[in-house]
Every structure is written in structure tokens, then in C-alpha cells.
Amino acid sequence: MTAELVRGQNHTLPQTRLEIRVSAGSPVVAGATLGDEQGTVHGIEWIAHPGSPQLPGLEVSRQAAADHRLAVDLDALPGSVHRVTVLLALPVGSGGPVRFGAVAAPFVAVTGLDGTEIATFTLTGLDAESAVTALELYRRQGVWKVRAVGQGYAAGLAEMLADQGVARAAELAASIQEAVARGMARSVAPPPPRTPDGDRVRHGAGPAPSAGGQQPPAPPSAAPVPQEPLSDPATTGPSAVPPAGGPVNYAHPRRRTTAPPPPPPAAPPAPPGSPAPPVAGDATGWSMDERLYNQIWGMFEDLARATAAYRSAVDFAESRMDQELDRALSDPRSRIGGAGDRARETARAKRDELTSRAREALDRDLTQLAAEAAVVEPALPAAYAGWANPVWHAYQVPMEMPMALRIGDLHLPEATELRIPLLVRLPLERGIWVDSGRTASEAATLMESDQLRRLAMETAVMHAARMLAVHPAGEFSVHVIDPAGSGAAALAPLVRSGVLAGPPAAGPGGVTSVLAHLTRRVDLVQMAVRAGAADSLPPDLDTGEQLLIVNDFPHGFDDRAVTQLRYLADEGPSVGVHLLMVADREDASAYGPVLDPLWRSLLRVTPVADDHLADPWVGHAWTYEPLGLPAGSRVLEHVLARVAEARRTGGR
């Protein structure tokens, strides 16, 4: 039976291999400290946090998220450790809530490896606190127990660490928040939460007012609906290890909750004992496009959690083997004769058995997800489809903007053939940076710098073409800054088709002119929105979405132009002005940390395969691959010609 704890209450732990699951209504930082018998933390090497997530017997999440899983192996902790304290803190400088009183009460559960809850604790009564000690695991007379704490700190993470005796707590807190900021910059934004009636919650102020004078929707004032706790997928999703011989339940924790219109009719029932055949659109939503969007995100999360369960099981098997070998070989008598060899063989056999069982469970999950992907991919609309999908051959300019756009594919090393479409919501909530530098990926290191820069610009053109293609005629404009003209060859498809708002701007004068035009637009729309006077905008102001492609940044940019670009990156998305930058960060190294906020504000993608993106659930490093055109295909020219024709005829 699960023990539902209140502040100060404790409960004996029946096992030592545990997971601590955290569910909050907003992204939080999760960490843990190791303490001695008095609870004192003897240095930073006793603290697990996103910048240093692993300690012996303890692993925490690598980034801020609404849901967390912390892995704890009490037997693997150093002998001098008598207390494990779980800490939660709100990220600093992320634009999110700054006090726990403004978010849903965090829920913490201590579970076994099978997801069975041992003890739970809901942290109620928090207000001005921005950091909180959630609970602690402590050892007394050889028995481990859990205690609900719920001690909050209004001064944040630094005060909480100092309270545990950590030296230079303020510096450590700052470094932890810096690691969190880096992690959030590389994390794919999760889909928006839903209102109780099933509608999506829009983040930010939305697009600029339309030509008809309608104002963008205001951000929701109510707190977002809390996401499902992580305990759900452990028992119903693919991350759960099924009972021997039993089927895996592939239901996603956020699928089939409340029903707007129901999903399309399912296939005939599967035979007893086997999972139901996958169906495209197997998720809630008001339209087929929304159902597919939610289904893809469900597949993304299922694969992330299934892989996390597999990796956790493998780590446990390795840790258990090491412990058994240490115990066996610590006895000098086992080193005589064949006792030591037998102990090694037994430990390795157990390790191999556990690893094999974990792989079998993962393979079952991968088989089901691959079958689901096989039926989903052909059913995707153009905005979600790759260039090779036949839907592009029947392309027509849409009458309305879709809810998302595919900008690439993601995969994990455990299943390189299973690709998850990377969908970003529209209108864009952050700009995109195509990294033209020599990254750490093998594909990038094998290329010359000039080749990488050319490929990066071609990738940017592909992204711009897709954005043009999925917007109604006249509601999306593309501007280009190419100071030295080095991107002329890659830009040729856009220039020839006539879909650009104007010729690519070159030289310092061109840079100044385009930036001044877009900065003025942002200023005017922001003032109109704040004053509730959208009808007062100048008649010559284009209120449609605007995309600025910047090539070879920072070449051709003076200090004023750099400041304007940073302003557009920060303020532009909320009023419909978006950045698509092609740049090598090393080229801008002279600016030092001044440009760090700019890089973090943009979603970094690469022109070649690179494992730099993280999921928002468990923080895996996913390999991103951009969408490429099939060899010899003219689909890009076909699509751009349709867009140009629709612009000339006003969409008729």
C-alpha cells in the first residue's frame, strides 16, 4: 500500500533500488545532495545536479523539466553517506514562474523499479519560495527510511545549499543555473498543455494583428494544466517491463484522455494477448492534423522513456555486477583456487541475463513504435511530411497556417532506423540557428569549412521554403541579409521564384536597412498591442509573419546591428518576426559572453547529423538530421512556383 506522507512523516523503505519521480506544473530543476550522519554535505562532489548529474548510487535529470526521474541505488552509495536529500528549484532567467506559489503543487513519489509507489508527498503551502527541500532518504540503525520535508527557501537555491553546510553556496547555485540555462537552450520545446476542454494553450502573445485588425490572443492567465505524473508511463507506457509472457500496453499517458472528436475508427480487434494494430491519428484532437501532431509527440515521448528504462536497467546490471565482484574478491580466500573465477562468471552471467531481458523489452517497444511510424508517415500532411512524401507532388497553397512544421528527424543510437519527426509549433516561439561551424559530430569533422557553410545555407533555404509553403498566400514574408553575397548560389531557388520580399541585402547599408525596417515593425506592433489599438497601425505595415534569414553572421554587422539583431531575437517572435541565422559561433567569439543570450534564444540545428538536441522528458541526446531533397527531385522548384503564383494572384 502506498504511504501518502505529510510534512515530517516518515516511512520505511522496503528496497534499496528506487526511483524518485517528480511532477510539477512548470519546469523545475531537480537535484540531490549526499549528507553524513548530521546531514552535512562535504563539498560539491556530494551534490548531483544538471551540470554534474551522476554520483555513485545516484543520478538526476540533466535539465529543467516538468517531470523528472531520479535513480537511487542506496547500496551503491559511499559508506559515509547517511542521507540523500532531494531538492527542487525554479529555473532563473527562463521567463517562467519565479515562485512556487505561482505553479501547481509539486508531487513527489518514491517508487520501485517496476513503478509501484512506495510513498508519495504533495508539496502544498508554498508561496514565495523558489527552492524547496522535497524529501530525504536517511539511514538509521541500518534501515533506510523516507521523510517528507517540504522546507522552502525564498532566497532560492543558494540559501538552500548554504543551509546544508555547502561552502561557497552562491557560486555553486549560479553554476547550476548556468548549466540549466544551457540545457534548456538545447531542449526541444514540449507540446503545449491543454485546457480542461481539450484546447491547446497558446504560449506567448501570438502573432501580430492580422490585416483585419484582430489582436493576437493574450497569454493564458490561469496556470497550465499539470502534466500527467511520471508514474503513469512506468506502468502503462513502453518504459514498463511487462510481466513474463504478457503483452506490453502501449497506451500513451496523455492519449485518449478527454475527447473532443474521437479518433478515426480502429482496425479490427487484435487477437487476445497481442497489442492492437497502430492507426494513424490515434490521439485526441479537433482535426486530423492535430491528432497526428499529438500522436507524433506521443511516439517521441514513448521512445524517450522506453530507452531511458533500458539504459537504467543496463546501468543497474553493470552496477550490480561490480558490487558482487567487489564483495567476492574482497575475501582473500576467494582468490585461491577457482572460487574467484566462478564468482566472476556468476556475476557476469547475471549481468548478461538482466541486460538481455531489458533489451527484449526494448525491442518489443521498438517493434510497436516502428509499426506505428509506418502507418503515420504516409498519412502526414505537407507541413509534417518529408520532401520524399508524395503529398508534396499534389501541393496546394493552404488556406490557413498549420499548427506545426517539420524541420528534421530525430533518432537514438539504440534504434537508428526509427526516426521521429521533429515538429516545431507555428508561429515560431523562438528563432532557428543553422550552425555552420565544425561541430563535434563525425559528419562535420569530415567536411571542409567552406563545404559546411554552403550546406548550412542550403539547409536554411529548405527551412524557409517549407515555412513559405505552409502559410497562406501573402501571410508570410522572407527577408534576407547576405552581407558579402556568399550565399547567392544557395539562395538561387528563392530568388528565381520571386518569393522573397526583396532582393538579398548586401553590404553594411543593406544590413542597416533591413534591420531598421523589421525593428520598426516590432516596435509599432508591440505598441499597438499594448494600447489595444491594432487598427491604428500604418496602412503600409505588413502585419503578416516575417522571417529574416541572416547569412555569415557577424560579418557586416557593427555593434548597433548586433544590438538590433538581439532585439529581434528576443522581442520579435511574440509579434510575428522570426530569425533564421546561418552562423559559426567561433566567428563571433570576439563578442565574448555578450552574445550568449542570442545563441540560447535560438533553436540550434545543423546541416549534417549531430547529437546535440535533448528531449524535454529525460534529456537524452538525440541525433538530429535535416530534411533533404531526394536525388534529382524538382519538388522544391514545384512548391516555390506554386507559392509565387499564389502571391501574384492573391491566393486565388
Side-chain angles (χ1 to χ4, degrees):
M1 179 180 293
T2 302
E4 298 181 1
L5 305 180
V6 298
R7 278 184 176 84
Q9 189 176 3
N10 60 39
H11 182 74
T12 301
L13 295 172
Q15 57 200 79
T16 58
R17 179 72 175 173
L18 307 165
E19 280 189 344
I20 299 174
R21 303 178 178 185
V22 179
S23 180
S26 180
V28 297
V29 182
T33 60
L34 304 180
D36 59 17
E37 288 184 277
Q38 286 72 43
T40 302
V41 180
H42 290 277
I44 60 174
E45 66 276 6
W46 282 37
I47 304 174
H49 57 83
S52 178
Q54 290 183 315
L55 295 177
L58 178 64
E59 182 174 2
V60 303
S61 303
R62 290 169 170 79
Q63 63 190 51
D67 298 321
H68 291 274
R69 283 186 177 186
L70 284 65
V72 181
D73 185 354
L74 298 174
D75 288 338
L77 295 174
S80 56
V81 171
H82 289 258
R83 187 175 303 179
V84 179
T85 305
V86 177
L87 318 174
L88 304 178
L90 293 171
V92 174
S94 64
V98 296
R99 60 187 185 89
F100 274 107
V103 302
F107 173 83
V108 184
V110 180
T111 77
L113 293 183
D114 59 356
T116 303
E117 291 184 346
I118 299 170
T120 64
F121 176 40
T122 302
L123 284 77
T124 57
L126 298 175
D127 186 12
E129 298 88 347
S130 60
V132 60
T133 299
L135 51 78
E136 62 183 15
L137 313 179
Y138 64 98
R139 179 167 53 187
R140 180 161 299 168
Q141 297 179 349
V143 177
W144 282 96
K145 298 182 178 182
V146 57
R147 177 187 292 121
V149 181
Q151 173 65 51
Y153 296 86
L157 190 57
E159 181 185 10
M160 180 166 56
L161 294 173
D163 192 40
Q164 296 192 38
V166 178
R168 306 173 71 176
E171 294 180 19
L172 177 58
S175 68
I176 292 174
Q177 293 289 3
E178 175 71 16
V180 171
R182 290 195 302 268
M184 295 184 74
R186 63 188 285 267
S187 175
V188 178
R194 295 178 176 274
T195 59
D197 61 357
D199 285 338
R200 289 181 300 121
V201 175
R202 292 285 299 277
H203 293 285
S210 67
Q214 294 180 341
Q215 294 185 37
S221 56
V225 179
Q227 297 182 358
E228 296 287 341
L230 281 176
S231 57
D232 288 347
T235 55
T236 63
S239 60
V241 178
V248 178
N249 184 347
Y250 292 94
H252 187 271
R254 281 193 290 278
R255 297 186 197 174
R256 303 187 188 279
T257 52
T258 58
S274 62
V279 178
D282 184 21
T284 58
W286 292 103
S287 66
M288 187 60 172
D289 287 1
E290 186 172 3
R291 292 170 185 164
L292 288 168
Y293 172 84
N294 290 331
Q295 185 173 15
I296 289 170
W297 272 95
M299 294 164 59
F300 188 11
E301 182 173 357
D302 285 349
L303 181 55
R305 296 197 188 281
T307 306
Y310 168 71
R311 293 179 180 179
S312 177
V314 171
D315 289 344
F316 170 67
E318 294 287 346
S319 174
R320 176 175 174 174
M321 181 186 71
D322 292 342
Q323 293 175 40
E324 290 180 351
L325 288 176
D326 288 343
R327 284 196 296 267
L329 299 181
S330 62
D331 185 355
R333 292 172 296 182
S334 65
R335 302 172 192 169
I336 303 174
D341 293 336
R342 288 192 296 272
R344 291 187 186 92
E345 292 175 2
T346 301
R348 288 168 182 157
K350 289 181 180 179
R351 185 271 315 272
D352 293 343
E353 180 186 2
L354 290 173
T355 301
S356 176
R357 287 168 52 193
R359 186 69 211 194
E360 288 175 2
L362 177 64
D363 287 343
R364 286 194 293 269
D365 296 339
L366 295 179
T367 298
Q368 178 69 8
L369 287 170
E372 189 171 7
V375 300
V376 167
E377 187 71 35
L380 296 179
Y384 304 172
W387 287 114
N389 194 307
V391 71
W392 284 106
H393 296 287
Y395 168 76
Q396 297 290 334
V397 176
M399 299 299 293
E400 61 181 15
M401 179 181 67
M403 64 183 299
L405 176 71
R406 184 174 183 170
I407 63 169
D409 291 332
L410 299 172
H411 65 83
L412 290 171
E414 286 82 358
T416 56
E417 72 289 347
L418 181 55
R419 307 299 173 95
I420 303 294
L422 174 56
L423 302 180
V424 294
R425 295 194 295 274
L426 294 179
L428 293 175
E429 296 179 351
R430 60 195 293 200
I432 296 176
W433 162 32
V434 183
D435 190 349
S436 60
R438 300 289 291 274
T439 63
S441 73
E442 181 180 355
T445 56
L446 296 176
M447 288 187 176
E448 298 293 335
S449 295
D450 291 344
Q451 184 183 8
L452 264 177
R453 293 177 188 272
R454 175 182 56 78
L455 195 56
M457 193 59 191
E458 292 175 354
T459 302
V461 169
M462 294 291 180
H463 291 319
R466 292 179 69 88
M467 292 182 204
L468 280 163
V470 302
H471 283 81
E475 294 188 15
F476 192 85
S477 300
V478 178
H479 310 262
V480 178
I481 290 178
D482 187 18
S486 59
L491 290 166
L494 299 179
V495 175
R496 284 198 305 264
S497 61
V499 296
L500 295 179
V511 173
T512 300
S513 175
V514 172
L515 290 177
H517 168 73
L518 292 176
T519 300
R520 171 178 175 269
R521 183 195 180 283
V522 171
D523 289 339
L524 290 175
V525 174
Q526 279 188 337
M527 288 188 291
V529 171
R530 290 167 183 163
D535 292 335
S536 65
L537 288 170
D540 63 337
L541 189 74
D542 182 2
T543 56
E545 299 286 312
Q546 311 286 311
L547 177 71
L548 173 59
I549 302 176
V550 178
N551 185 35
D552 254 357
F553 176 81
H555 300 301
F557 283 72
D558 56 20
D559 289 346
R560 176 179 172 80
V562 170
T563 300
Q564 288 177 312
L565 195 69
R566 287 185 56 188
Y567 175 73
L568 292 178
D570 293 339
E571 304 294 334
S574 65
V575 290
V577 177
H578 313 284
L579 286 185
L580 177 54
M581 283 183 51
V582 179
D584 180 357
R585 190 167 182 172
E586 288 299 316
D587 292 342
S589 59
Y591 287 93
V594 172
L595 290 181
D596 285 353
L598 173 64
W599 305 119
R600 290 175 186 164
S601 69
L602 304 173
L603 174 63
R604 175 177 172 253
V605 297
T606 51
V608 294
D610 189 88
D611 58 350
H612 65 281
L613 289 177
D615 65 79
W617 302 288
V618 293
H620 292 316
W622 293 72
T623 297
Y624 165 83
E625 290 193 16
L627 298 173
L629 289 171
S633 172
R634 299 187 61 83
V635 66
L636 180 63
E637 290 83 354
H638 165 73
V639 169
L640 291 178
R642 289 291 182 91
V643 172
E645 180 183 2
R647 288 167 62 96
R648 288 192 298 269
T649 61
R652 295 188 296 274

